[in-house]
């Protein structure tokens, strides 16, 4: 319905409806249902029934894309709120269906995001989508990489419990394998976090590593790309390729407001060594098909 630049099909609705169909179809056997919801996300568009409740009720700010890649949106905040509400509605539909089919007590549900909020990129963080953390999607401050992971499994996951145990997406596959009673692949770095989810204590990983390389003609171009690493409560951030490292203690400074690099040269040197050893050169990336290239 969206070919030739038409806007007839809202992809989020298709994903939600297909997920519900899948659960009904597989209700009598074990199943894994992955729902890659596309909202909230640019392009800021939502069906009117989700946007209408917010029109005229928010301090509005227009979104204008200078690249003309996404549609302009004069009611950006009302639309964003409508997208979030539509997502919330459809998560509720999934949970209601599990209960209707008497599967909810035997089904674990995870809800998370693949990155931090992009709202600061196009406007003020009006909804505090980053929780007040520094940064946003596309960088490696906490606002760009720290996201909630919500788990629901009645009578198994402690109700209303909150954990500050850090884990990352490379831990998801081992966790799902643990739930399924199978071994994860041996070539990955992740570890099962099932015991944490069930409310038990588990020693967190000794270190974490992230990077965001740049490519030219499919080849990585930086010896030291945008990087971040965490060792215990300490976190180092290289906010731009080949730039200087910044150092933060997340236990006392979760907002990464006070760079401790000059005051902690030994810790900084430890991170410099770790950042060199924690990575391998990224694989080449093929050029995307012409239809998917973004306009300059």
């Amino acid at each position: 319905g969206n070919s030739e630049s038409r806007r007839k099909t809202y992809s989020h609705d298709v994903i939600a409806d297909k997920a519900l169909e899948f659960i009904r179809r597989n209700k009598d056997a074990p199943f894994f249902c992955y729902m890659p919801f596309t909202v909230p996300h640019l392009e800021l568009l939502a069906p009117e029934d989700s946007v209408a409740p917010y029109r005229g009720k928010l301090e509005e700010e227009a979104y204008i894309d200078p690249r003309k890649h996404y549609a302009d949106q004069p009611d950006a905040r009302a639309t964003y709120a409508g997208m979030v509400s539509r997502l919330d509605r459809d998560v509720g539909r999934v949970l209601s269906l599990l209960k209707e089919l008497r599967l909810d007590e035997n089904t674990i549900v995870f809800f998370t995001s693949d990155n931090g909020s992009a709202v600061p990129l196009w406007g003020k963080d009006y909804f505090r989508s980053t929780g007040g953390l520094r940064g946003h999607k596309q960088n490696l401050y906490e606002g760009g990489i720290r996201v909630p992971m919500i788990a629901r499994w009645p009578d198994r996951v402690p109700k209303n419990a909150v954990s500050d145990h850090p884990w990352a997406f490379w831990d998801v596959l081992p966790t799902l394998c643990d739930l399924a009673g199978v071994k994860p692949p041996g070539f990955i770095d992740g570890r099962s976090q099932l015991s944490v989810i069930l409310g038990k204590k588990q020693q967190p990983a000794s270190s974490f590593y992230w990077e965001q390389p740049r490519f030219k003609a499919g080849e990585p171009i930086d010896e030291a790309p945008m990087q971040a690493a965490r060792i215990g409560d300490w976190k180092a951030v290289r906010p731009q390729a080949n730039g200087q490292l910044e150092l933060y203690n997340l236990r006392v400074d979760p907002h990464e407001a006070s760079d401790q690099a000059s005051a902690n040269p030994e810790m900084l040197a430890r991170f410099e060594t770790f950042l060199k050893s924690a990575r391998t050169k990224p694989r080449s990336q093929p050029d995307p098909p012409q239809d998917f290239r973004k306009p300059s």
Side-chain angles (χ1 to χ4, degrees):
N2 296 335
S3 62
E4 300 177 357
S5 299
R6 293 177 298 173
R7 290 192 173 97
K8 297 181 66 176
T9 304
Y10 199 60
S11 63
H12 169 85
D13 291 353
V14 176
I15 294 168
D17 290 343
K18 292 293 185 181
L20 295 171
E21 291 175 13
F22 176 86
I23 293 171
R24 287 188 182 278
R25 193 166 63 248
N26 291 277
K27 63 183 177 62
D28 296 323
F31 64 82
F32 171 72
C33 183
Y34 172 57
M35 290 164 275
F37 291 124
T38 54
V39 298
H41 198 283
L42 293 172
E43 194 166 36
L44 293 176
L45 293 171
E48 181 59 24
D49 62 312
S50 287
V51 181
Y54 300 101
R55 289 196 187 280
K57 297 182 180 179
L58 304 175
E59 182 183 345
E60 202 50 85
E61 179 176 336
Y63 171 78
I64 307 297
D65 187 350
R67 304 170 305 163
K68 301 306 177 185
H69 180 63
Y70 294 119
D72 295 338
Q73 178 53 260
D75 298 319
R77 290 173 176 169
T79 303
Y80 185 84
M83 296 170 89
V84 173
S85 292
R86 202 170 191 87
L87 172 62
D88 187 58
R89 178 201 72 180
D90 288 329
V91 170
R93 291 171 67 200
V94 171
L95 297 180
S96 295
L97 178 60
L98 292 174
K99 189 169 185 179
E100 174 193 325
L101 299 176
R102 298 183 180 180
L103 297 176
D104 60 323
E105 293 187 1
N106 196 34
T107 303
I108 186 167
V109 178
F110 295 99
F111 182 89
T112 189
S113 176
D114 58 343
N115 49 249
S117 173
V119 172
L121 286 166
W122 55 265
K124 299 175 183 177
D125 195 2
Y126 181 79
F127 298 102
R128 287 181 57 82
S129 299
T130 63
L133 296 174
R134 180 180 180 180
H136 47 73
K137 175 183 177 178
Q138 298 180 358
N139 69 35
L140 300 178
Y141 292 111
E142 292 295 279
I145 61 175
R146 183 188 293 203
V147 296
M149 166 62 89
I150 302 172
R152 179 187 185 274
W153 194 4
D155 298 327
R156 301 295 295 275
V157 173
K159 190 176 182 179
N160 298 324
V162 177
S163 171
D164 60 1
H165 181 92
W167 51 300
F169 265 107
W170 45 87
D171 296 317
V172 171
L173 177 58
T175 302
L176 299 181
C177 288
D178 201 359
L179 282 160
V182 298
K183 290 185 177 181
F187 57 84
I188 61 176
D189 294 328
R191 305 185 306 163
S192 173
Q193 304 295 317
L194 182 56
S195 63
V196 177
I197 294 167
L198 297 180
K200 302 173 184 176
K201 293 290 184 180
Q202 178 174 312
Q203 186 70 20
S206 59
S207 60
F208 295 85
Y209 176 76
W210 301 265
E211 72 173 52
Q212 187 165 322
R214 297 185 301 170
F215 292 84
K216 185 175 182 179
E219 295 294 329
I221 62 176
D222 301 305
E223 288 297 324
M226 185 189 299
Q227 294 174 294
R230 178 169 173 169
I231 300 175
D233 292 326
W234 288 95
K235 180 184 173 188
V237 180
R238 194 185 310 279
Q240 55 186 340
N242 303 312
Q244 296 295 315
L245 272 187
E246 301 171 1
L247 185 65
Y248 303 97
N249 188 315
L250 297 180
R251 181 173 55 84
V252 298
D253 182 23
H255 298 91
E256 297 166 295
S258 178
D259 184 359
Q260 300 294 310
S262 60
N264 294 273
E266 292 184 1
M267 181 59 70
L268 191 69
R270 182 180 177 187
F271 271 107
E272 287 282 16
T273 300
F274 175 72
L275 290 173
K276 293 175 182 177
S277 63
R279 68 187 302 266
T280 57
K281 183 179 178 180
R283 293 189 298 269
S284 299
Q285 289 189 348
D287 289 335
Q290 188 68 33
D291 291 347
F292 289 90
R293 290 184 180 178
K294 295 180 179 180
S296 59

